[in-house]
Amino acid sequence: MDTSERRRHQLAIRWKNPWEPQWMPASLRDTLNNRYHSRDFNYARSEYLRTRLLVVGLVFTLLAPLWLLVDYLLLPVELLGEVALGRLGLMVTLLGVLYTAWKNQNKLNRLRNALAVLLLAPAIFYGYLVVMFGDQLSSLVGYSFIPLLLIAFLSVFPLTLVESFGIGLMIFTIQLLALSITGQLSTAYGWQDLWLLGTLLAISLWANHSQVSALLRLYRQASMDSLTGLLNRGILMKQLEELCRQRDELVKDKETPSPITLLMFDLDRFKKVNDTYGHSVGDQALQVFAQILRSELRKNDLVARYGGEEFMAALPGTPKQDSLDVAERIRKQCEQAFVLAHDGEKVTFTTSIGITQIRNDESLEDALQRVDSRLYMAKHQGRNRYIDADLPLDEQDLSHR
């Protein structure tokens, strides 16, 4: 093998996402935004986010009416009506946040929006007081700390840096406007307030980075196959069950769910590779095949090492007919792939594929049995092919395209 070919082989087994900024440290790239987070990790993070959202939202909702007593004891009578009106609007908003968080389990986008409302609603309430009372704001005992409190609460949530900075910047802007309206922006007090707010935001960003990093580390240890970097079988089954649960809810509501297609792969004659060249070469073949799956599947697809040399991919939103093209591309890439034995010999391998679409009226177990039987049919018909229908064996050769 010449040098250029060996180099291409080495690059093939070292997977890199072409969209990743390679100059950025991996730890920062992982926590900057959720572009590189898998569907499964987003599910896991949404559960952490939802739990904290419910707790903090409940605390805020309970404190909102309780603070009315402080207002009654300390505020001038002429201010009570407007403050109570604003606080009532705040309470209604917070109750809406709690309802949204309760009803939207594992829906990350809705939970992030609810969190933004949770933290921005008190900030907007504070801005309302500033606009209403202006230079009388000093009479509102206990309100000037609201922006600082909200920025501090950012550190409670497992947010990416972009998410946290976006919310923090909006709170910072509201405080900037408040200081401008009250005439304190150019004073030592105003600069001190902004400095404290900026310091707390920096601390919250560091805390968010640490939380998401820790969650990613724990998630990868618990959910990833250590050899290939793909999901393990347990996490795949958990996510498939969640997809089927969402499908069942849509069917129950008489809505049409998106299709879910399953692809089951098996490396052909893999035992012979291990017996002939050793397990280290077999491990290389598994890693190269995992890279092929990554390159042909979308970020939102679920792909896992199912066991040994078997792999499984779930394609949400992809009908079976479209998945045939995906299967064929994977099959062809596998035909062209190779690994190197210890003496430099090229070792090639192929894959057999079973394909099915989960039906709306069946259990996940039935779909898994069907795709497994189609994989068996593909191997029985000569390997290096895909099977997508329960046809007589003598007709299955038509599926090798």
Side-chain angles (χ1 to χ4, degrees):
M1 177 184 299
D2 61 30
T3 303
S4 61
E5 191 174 24
R6 184 181 296 272
R7 176 63 177 165
R8 286 197 302 271
H9 163 71
Q10 292 171 343
L11 290 174
I13 64 174
R14 187 172 65 247
W15 178 72
K16 287 186 179 181
N17 187 330
W19 299 106
E20 289 183 0
Q22 299 303 319
W23 54 269
M24 188 182 297
S27 60
L28 179 59
R29 187 171 61 244
D30 283 342
T31 61
L32 183 63
N33 54 45
N34 68 341
R35 177 180 298 179
Y36 310 109
H37 297 170
S38 67
R39 173 195 290 266
D40 181 63
F41 178 71
N42 283 333
Y43 278 150
R45 185 164 75 96
S46 67
E47 188 55 37
Y48 282 96
L49 187 60
R50 178 174 177 265
T51 301
R52 288 160 174 76
L53 186 55
L54 288 171
V55 172
V56 175
L58 183 61
V59 170
F60 281 13
T61 304
L62 292 176
L63 286 178
L66 290 176
W67 201 261
L68 284 172
L69 178 61
V70 178
D71 291 341
Y72 178 77
L73 294 175
L74 299 177
L75 292 185
V77 176
E78 62 271 14
L79 301 183
L80 285 176
E82 289 82 356
V83 173
L85 181 63
R87 193 168 286 280
L88 178 62
L90 175 61
M91 290 171 57
V92 171
T93 302
L94 293 175
L95 287 172
V97 167
L98 286 175
Y99 178 78
T100 301
W102 181 260
K103 296 294 289 184
N104 289 282
Q105 186 176 10
N106 292 330
K107 295 180 179 178
L108 181 60
N109 287 335
R110 294 186 183 182
L111 291 172
R112 286 187 301 189
N113 292 338
L115 173 60
V117 173
L118 173 69
L119 295 178
L120 291 177
I124 292 172
F125 170 62
Y126 172 70
Y128 160 79
L129 297 179
V130 171
V131 172
M132 291 294 296
F133 305 114
D135 56 4
Q136 292 182 282
L137 193 63
S138 58
S139 302
L140 302 177
V141 178
Y143 284 87
S144 60
F145 77 97
I146 287 178
L148 299 173
L149 178 67
L150 296 175
I151 290 291
F153 263 105
L154 274 175
S155 62
V156 174
F157 300 98
L159 296 172
T160 63
L161 297 180
V162 169
E163 294 165 351
S164 183
F165 182 76
I167 296 174
L169 184 61
M170 285 187 277
I171 296 173
F172 192 91
T173 301
I174 290 174
Q175 178 66 344
L176 195 66
L177 292 174
L179 292 173
S180 178
I181 291 173
T182 57
Q184 296 177 327
L185 181 59
S186 58
T187 65
Y189 170 82
W191 284 105
Q192 172 186 279
D193 215 31
L194 293 177
W195 181 85
L196 286 173
L197 208 58
T199 302
L200 282 175
L201 179 57
I203 294 172
S204 293
L205 290 172
W206 173 82
N208 297 143
H209 168 77
S210 299
Q211 280 198 72
V212 176
S213 292
L215 283 177
L216 273 168
R217 184 167 58 253
L218 293 173
Y219 162 78
R220 285 165 177 163
Q221 290 173 354
S223 65
M224 295 294 185
D225 173 63
S226 59
L227 178 64
T228 63
L230 302 178
L231 296 177
N232 61 38
R233 180 171 179 168
I235 294 297
L236 172 70
M237 296 305 297
K238 178 182 175 182
Q239 291 308 310
L240 281 175
E241 289 169 359
E242 174 63 23
L243 288 173
C244 289
R245 184 189 66 80
Q246 295 174 5
R247 174 208 62 182
D248 293 341
E249 288 180 356
L250 290 173
V251 171
K252 185 178 179 180
D253 294 337
K254 301 188 184 306
E255 298 181 30
T256 303
S258 299
I260 306 171
T261 300
L262 301 179
L263 280 70
M264 181 176 281
F265 308 88
D266 187 270
L267 295 189
D268 299 325
R269 297 186 175 89
F270 187 72
K271 184 177 184 301
K272 183 179 179 181
V273 173
N274 279 334
D275 292 345
T276 304
Y277 301 101
H279 287 277
S280 61
V281 175
D283 288 347
Q284 285 186 57
L286 294 174
Q287 290 172 327
V288 170
F289 185 67
Q291 153 60 12
I292 292 172
L293 294 179
R294 287 192 191 96
S295 67
E296 293 297 340
L297 297 173
R298 304 166 302 178
K299 185 186 75 169
N300 287 335
D301 294 331
L302 300 173
V303 55
R305 186 180 179 189
Y306 202 65
E309 66 271 21
E310 287 189 341
F311 296 77
M312 173 82 78
L315 282 58
T318 303
K320 188 177 72 172
Q321 191 61 38
D322 292 344
S323 72
L324 303 184
D325 293 333
V326 177
E328 178 63 3
R329 291 199 303 269
I330 292 172
R331 189 192 67 79
K332 284 185 175 178
Q333 276 211 51
C334 199
E335 273 187 331
Q336 299 168 3
F338 63 90
V339 296
L340 297 180
H342 300 297
D343 59 359
E345 179 185 354
K346 289 200 299 186
V347 180
T348 60
F349 53 92
T350 59
T351 184
S352 300
I353 311 168
I355 306 173
T356 194
Q357 183 173 312
I358 302 177
R359 298 163 184 163
N360 291 339
D361 58 348
E362 72 174 346
S363 67
L364 175 60
E365 289 74 17
D366 290 340
L368 290 173
Q369 288 180 5
R370 187 167 61 255
V371 74
D372 184 66
S373 69
R374 292 177 181 179
L375 173 61
Y376 173 80
M377 295 166 74
K379 297 185 79 68
H380 182 84
Q381 283 295 294
R383 302 178 176 85
N384 189 25
R385 66 191 64 226
Y386 62 83
I387 299 294
D388 64 289
D390 296 325
L391 301 175
L393 289 178
D394 59 351
E395 297 181 31
Q396 290 293 341
D397 287 331
L398 297 175
S399 296
H400 181 198
R401 305 179 185 182

